Amino acid sequence: MTDTILVLVEDTLTASDVEHLLSLHDGEELEYRVLVPADSDRPLLSTIIDNLSLGELREAFDRARGKEPSVREARATAAEQLAGSVAAFTAAGRTATGEITEDDPIPAVRAAVAAGGVREVAVVTYPHALEDTFHRDWASRAREDLQVPVLHLYAGTSELG
């Protein structure tokens, strides 16, 4: 049985994100499984703070007005992100599988680890001011109850979260 690296993402992985992930296990034959949540229920305050900290004024304003994607829109976006992430692994010469999870991906991560074969979990997100500071981000939540290593990388960088 080949070890699996479970990769939880909030956006499409870029070529550099995939290269960072692959460089962590140079020369090893591993399987990659990508999980992308259909994010249709974003927390109001933390999302607005994140938008403002990234200079996304329009997004912050839309969120303050209560504008969120419908479940159908969120699943369509997640499907695009999953396809792009799997394609990034393929372009790097690796194969990957994946699936869309519910809005909160932690139960799906827990189930995947419990099913066996998962060596570690890599969480690739953008910085989130409140969640990261108060350890309520996906990586921190996964570390609380999983018996495998959990690595948190910031998307588009080599920085650890």
Side-chain angles (χ1 to χ4, degrees), residues 6-113:
L6 193 63
V7 185
L8 174 60
V9 301
E10 73 174 330
D11 201 350
T12 306
L13 291 173
T14 65
S16 67
D17 293 330
V18 170
E19 287 304 317
H20 288 133
L21 290 167
L22 297 178
S23 72
L24 298 172
H25 307 286
D26 269 342
E28 294 185 67
E29 282 300 315
L30 298 168
E31 292 181 4
Y32 293 87
R33 183 171 164 206
V34 181
L35 300 180
V36 182
D39 193 7
S40 64
D41 186 24
R42 299 177 186 141
L44 178 65
L45 180 60
S46 62
T47 301
I48 291 172
I49 289 172
D50 288 342
N51 291 141
L52 292 174
S53 70
L54 294 171
E56 299 170 342
L57 301 179
R58 177 60 149 182
E59 290 85 350
F61 181 70
D62 286 346
R63 184 63 185 102
R65 290 183 16 227
K67 188 174 181 183
E68 288 195 71
S70 69
V71 172
R72 194 175 104 226
E73 291 169 333
R75 289 194 74 74
T77 298
E80 290 173 13
Q81 293 167 336
L82 178 58
S85 296
V86 169
F89 275 104
T90 302
R94 299 292 178 97
T95 58
T97 60
E99 66 189 74
I100 298 169
T101 72
E102 296 300 318
D103 192 50
D104 180 4
I106 299 303
V109 171
R110 214 177 281 125
V113 171

Side-chain angles (χ1 to χ4, degrees), residues 88-143:
F89 275 104
T90 302
R94 299 292 178 97
T95 58
T97 60
E99 66 189 74
I100 298 169
T101 72
E102 296 300 318
D103 192 50
D104 180 4
I106 299 303
V109 171
R110 214 177 281 125
V113 171
V118 174
R119 177 199 264 185
E120 69 184 51
V121 176
V123 179
V124 183
T125 68
Y126 296 108
H128 295 285
L130 288 179
E131 286 97 342
D132 292 351
T133 300
F134 294 106
H135 304 289
R136 298 313 314 147
D137 58 288
W138 293 338
S140 295
R141 291 177 53 214
R143 283 184 194 114

